[in-house]
Amino acid sequence: MNTFSIGESIRFGWETFKKRPAFFIGATVLVVLVSIIIGLIVDQVEKSSGPGLVSFLATLFEQLVVGVLVAMGVTVLSLKAYTDVQSASIRDLWSPKHYLACLVVYIITVVAVMVGLILLVIPGVIVALMLSFPFYLILDKGMKPMDAIKESARITKGHRWQLLLLYITLFALNLVGVLAVVVGLLVTLPISGLAFVYAYRKLEHAASEVTPSPVA
């Protein structure tokens, strides 16, 4: 069965990064800057308005609008880079199509993981691993939210320990990036994104060999 290994995932991320290092670093800088600027604006709104509705709405905007759109853009860019690294563009970071579907999936995922963590930590981790790829399936195949959630659970079945180890490895890799005067994150973050999309492609292909994925 065509699955993935952690070593192959990291190697793919590194080899792909090396083909266009300036592009990936530039894209990462842009994403980080946008996130920081929005975060600073929200902080100022919260400080000036104090606890209340305005502060709450500002936080929701940061998480449910900016956060989801940024994640979507990074996912689309990674998917394009997997297929053809030369075709990936900074414009891919603005990919609002399917926003509502991704928002629904994001909310369901957050709630499900939180409930799992409250119940007994391990169920929350399992749910998080099951729901690793709904964004990819929506943006890659145009699936509806519930179809993407079910398909993510299906393609990760039997590979969740492997995915957990991949998460831990990527966390360690980015920790090294932080220790490298933080600047190292400009390299480790794109490598991590590319490694993860490699895992998605391998598991999606392996699952499709067993049974067809649901129609979008």
Side-chain angles (χ1 to χ4, degrees):
M1 183 180 291
N2 184 26
T3 58
F4 77 98
S5 76
I6 294 172
E8 288 173 350
S9 300
I10 302 296
R11 191 176 306 113
F12 172 82
W14 171 239
E15 292 299 328
T16 305
F17 174 84
K18 287 196 302 181
K19 293 175 181 177
R20 295 184 67 188
F23 166 73
F24 286 113
I25 289 174
T28 304
V29 168
L30 180 59
V31 168
V32 171
L33 283 177
V34 168
S35 300
I36 290 175
I37 291 171
I38 296 298
L40 290 174
I41 292 173
V42 170
D43 286 342
Q44 287 301 314
V45 170
E46 291 176 342
K47 288 178 182 178
S48 61
S49 64
L53 180 60
V54 174
S55 178
F56 175 71
L57 291 176
T59 300
L60 281 184
F61 174 79
E62 181 181 18
Q63 295 178 356
L64 301 184
V65 178
V66 178
V68 172
L69 285 172
V70 166
M72 290 172 64
V74 171
T75 300
V76 170
L77 187 147
S78 298
L79 286 166
K80 288 193 69 173
Y82 179 92
T83 303
D84 177 11
V85 67
Q86 299 302 328
S87 71
S89 165
I90 290 294
R91 290 190 298 273
D92 295 322
L93 290 174
W94 176 245
S95 299
K97 186 179 180 181
H98 302 304
Y99 167 73
L100 290 179
C102 287
L103 176 62
V104 170
V105 161
Y106 174 79
I107 293 172
I108 291 174
T109 300
V110 169
V111 172
V113 171
M114 286 180 63
V115 170
L117 292 175
I118 291 171
L119 290 177
L120 188 61
V121 181
I122 292 177
V125 174
I126 293 173
V127 170
L129 294 172
M130 289 173 59
L131 302 182
S132 293
F133 300 120
F135 269 35
Y136 291 82
L137 291 160
I138 290 171
L139 297 169
D140 182 32
K141 298 178 177 296
M143 286 187 179
K144 296 178 181 179
M146 293 311 300
D147 287 337
I149 286 172
K150 291 176 184 177
E151 182 68 356
S152 180
R154 186 180 78 87
I155 69 176
T156 58
K157 186 176 181 180
H159 305 284
R160 288 164 197 161
W161 278 111
Q162 199 174 10
L163 276 172
L164 179 60
L165 290 175
L166 178 61
Y167 274 115
I168 293 172
T169 302
L170 295 179
F171 174 80
L173 178 65
N174 286 299
L175 183 59
V176 171
V178 172
L179 296 176
V181 203
V182 181
V183 178
L185 283 173
L186 298 180
V187 175
T188 61
L189 283 175
I191 289 176
S192 297
L194 293 165
F196 205 72
V197 79
Y198 177 89
Y200 160 71
R201 278 293 186 219
K202 289 298 182 179
L203 293 182
E204 187 262 329
H205 288 161
S208 67
E209 294 172 359
V210 177
T211 180
S213 59
V215 177

